[in-house]
Amino acid sequence: MVTVTPKAVEKIRAAFQREGVQGGLRLGVLGGGCSGLSYLFKFDPKPRPTDKVLDFDDVSVYIDPKSMVFLDGMTLDWKDSLIHSGFVFDNPHAKKSCGCGTSFST
């Protein structure tokens, strides 16, 4: 299971409203990035037939089966700090990650 914190849901909802987007947030994993794998994070109008659809209040998250192998157990959060504000991926499958936090290796 993937968890999205209430703060992250709030930020996703605000982005949907700001961009006038209907649908859900696609979370996935792609080959590439500093550490070997990178996170896919984009708006998607509808889920694919094989997607796992997770609902957090009124925000839907779509995850394809191959990505779920790498994301199962992950928490998506939002952090605010003096230096950086943004989404944070807390992934138990990531053995190491790059400094920006958007790529990892298993």
Side-chain angles (χ1 to χ4, degrees), residues 57-97:
D57 295 327
D58 59 340
V59 171
S60 293
V61 175
Y62 312 144
I63 304 172
D64 67 90
K66 289 181 182 176
S67 293
M68 191 56 136
V69 171
F70 296 101
L71 300 179
D72 191 31
M74 183 191 83
T75 298
L76 177 64
D77 197 4
W78 178 272
K79 298 287 184 190
D80 285 310
S81 73
L82 293 173
I83 298 172
H84 173 74
S85 293
F87 290 101
V88 176
F89 300 89
D90 182 11
N91 188 342
H93 299 284
K95 301 300 181 219
K96 70 175 191 173
S97 62

Side-chain angles (χ1 to χ4, degrees), residues 5-16 18 78 80 87:
T5 66
K7 186 70 171 176
V9 168
E10 178 185 318
K11 294 296 183 177
I12 295 166
R13 182 183 302 115
F16 276 33
R18 183 176 58 250
W78 178 272
D80 285 310
F87 290 101

Side-chain angles (χ1 to χ4, degrees), residues 28-41 71 74 76 84 86-91 94 96-105:
V29 175
L30 300 170
C34 312
S35 297
L37 297 170
S38 60
Y39 294 107
L40 171 73
F41 192 83
L71 300 179
M74 183 191 83
L76 177 64
H84 173 74
F87 290 101
V88 176
F89 300 89
D90 182 11
N91 188 342
K96 70 175 191 173
S97 62
C98 66
C100 66
T102 62
S103 75
F104 67 101
S105 64

